[in-house]
Amino acid sequence: MKKIVRHKDKKDIRNGKILDSLQGSVDELEQERDERDEQFDDPDFFDSSAPMMKNKKTFFAIGLIIIILTVVGLVNTVKFTVSAVQDIANQTSLKNEFAAFLYPVVIIDTPAFDTAENAPPSVVIHAAIWRIILNGNTERYENDGSYMTISEIDVESSAVALFGYGVTIEHQTVGNGENVFEYNASSRSYNVPMETERITYWPRIRDISSVGELFSLTVEYMAPVMGMPGEADEEQEAQKLMIYTVSRSATSMTVNSVAYYQPGQANEW
């Protein structure tokens, strides 16, 4: 007997596929539901403190930024203050430096000259010897207890240090009274008193202006007290004013000119 096999028609096949597809969709939905249920069962999923923790982190970040900005502002303020104080200190230091340098020229009450090359030879020698007395180590010079002997070479070196290499040097006796510096041509040296009187002026720098390495200085000539220069009282008036131009580099300074101060003259370029 032949077995009759009935073949499914196309409609049945199509319906089966649809059922399978629906069944797959249902299975996927059930799987997604199970996954959500697992998340819901997780105690950390519904953490009531989560928004609060998020806010705390935000506030902490903002606070940290504010602190940083405050610190930066404070540092900049401190830097500005320190810079201003340093400027004042540096100006004072610079004035003292110029005053010490010009003291040998001021103490002889030099007349005006427009260039160092035109400075009177007597001024050059006189200031050069005073520079050695005021700034040099005089103990190295031979002396008889009353006078010390300074070689003309040392005087020339001192003159160049004050006025530069273009200065004219003519050795001669300079000074007066107790402060005579006598030139000895035979020994090519100067006889200089061991004890000198400082009875003229000492410098105080009032104003400074500059263009590059060239400085213009308003110099106050202060009268010494008991022959000794020192700090002047604020109310003490200068005996006179002179305008100096000085070249200043990292390693040296030189006097370029000296002019008489005119009333109302401003130390500006």
Side-chain angles (χ1 to χ4, degrees):
M1 175 183 285
K2 294 182 180 179
K3 187 175 180 179
I4 299 173
V5 180
R6 295 181 62 184
H7 296 281
K8 298 181 179 179
D9 55 21
K10 293 182 179 179
K11 183 178 181 179
D12 292 338
I13 294 173
R14 185 170 60 253
N15 291 337
K17 289 183 177 180
I18 293 173
L19 290 175
D20 291 341
S21 175
L22 291 174
Q23 182 64 36
S25 298
V26 171
D27 292 341
E28 290 176 358
L29 290 173
E30 289 180 350
Q31 183 176 358
E32 292 177 359
R33 182 190 63 190
D34 293 340
E35 291 177 353
R36 286 197 300 271
D37 291 342
E38 291 178 358
Q39 291 178 348
F40 294 157
D41 293 337
D42 187 353
D44 296 331
F45 187 79
F46 287 111
D47 188 356
S48 60
S49 65
M52 185 179 296
M53 292 298 295
K54 184 176 181 180
N55 289 337
K56 286 183 178 180
K57 291 180 179 179
T58 302
F59 294 151
F60 175 78
I62 294 175
L64 184 60
I65 293 173
I66 292 174
I67 292 173
I68 292 174
L69 292 177
T70 301
V71 171
V72 171
L74 180 61
V75 169
N76 288 335
T77 300
V78 171
K79 285 183 177 180
F80 176 80
T81 303
V82 170
S83 178
V85 172
Q86 287 178 340
D87 287 342
I88 295 174
N90 290 340
Q91 186 79 349
T92 301
S93 177
L94 186 59
K95 286 182 177 181
N96 291 337
E97 182 182 351
F98 277 123
F101 173 71
L102 295 178
Y103 191 13
V105 185
V106 172
I107 199 172
I108 66 173
D109 193 15
T110 178
F113 52 85
D114 57 355
T115 65
E117 290 80 359
N118 291 332
S122 61
V123 167
V124 174
I125 297 298
H126 204 178
I129 295 176
W130 267 112
R131 179 179 177 275
I132 294 173
I133 295 171
L134 296 172
N135 303 327
N137 180 13
T138 58
E139 295 180 356
R140 64 192 182 94
Y141 295 112
E142 295 182 359
N143 68 84
D144 59 7
S146 298
Y147 291 87
M148 58 183 168
T149 302
I150 300 177
S151 68
E152 66 176 30
I153 293 178
D154 284 357
V155 173
E156 291 174 1
S157 297
S158 182
V160 169
L162 277 174
F163 301 102
Y165 287 99
V167 69
T168 299
I169 299 176
E170 295 179 7
H171 293 290
Q172 58 189 287
T173 297
V174 294
N176 53 67
E178 299 295 327
N179 293 335
V180 174
F181 306 148
E182 184 180 359
Y183 179 62
N184 188 327
S186 61
S187 63
R188 304 180 66 178
S189 63
Y190 286 85
N191 295 322
V192 178
M194 296 289 294
E195 299 293 334
T196 53
E197 295 182 356
R198 305 175 189 183
I199 57 176
T200 53
Y201 305 109
W202 61 275
R204 185 172 66 181
I205 310 302
R206 190 174 77 175
D207 297 310
I208 298 177
S209 62
S210 65
V211 177
E213 294 185 344
L214 185 61
F215 288 78
S216 178
L217 313 171
T218 300
V219 182
E220 297 179 319
Y221 280 46
M222 310 302 295
V225 178
M226 301 299 292
M228 294 297 293
E231 295 293 333
D233 187 270
E234 290 297 330
E235 298 181 356
Q236 182 178 344
E237 294 184 0
Q239 300 297 305
K240 61 187 295 187
L241 294 174
M242 300 289 282
I243 303 296
Y244 283 69
T245 59
V246 177
S247 295
R248 178 179 182 270
S249 67
T251 58
S252 65
M253 289 191 289
T254 55
V255 177
N256 293 337
S257 67
V258 180
Y260 296 109
Y261 180 87
Q262 301 298 325
Q265 180 179 357
N267 186 20
E268 296 179 355
W269 293 353

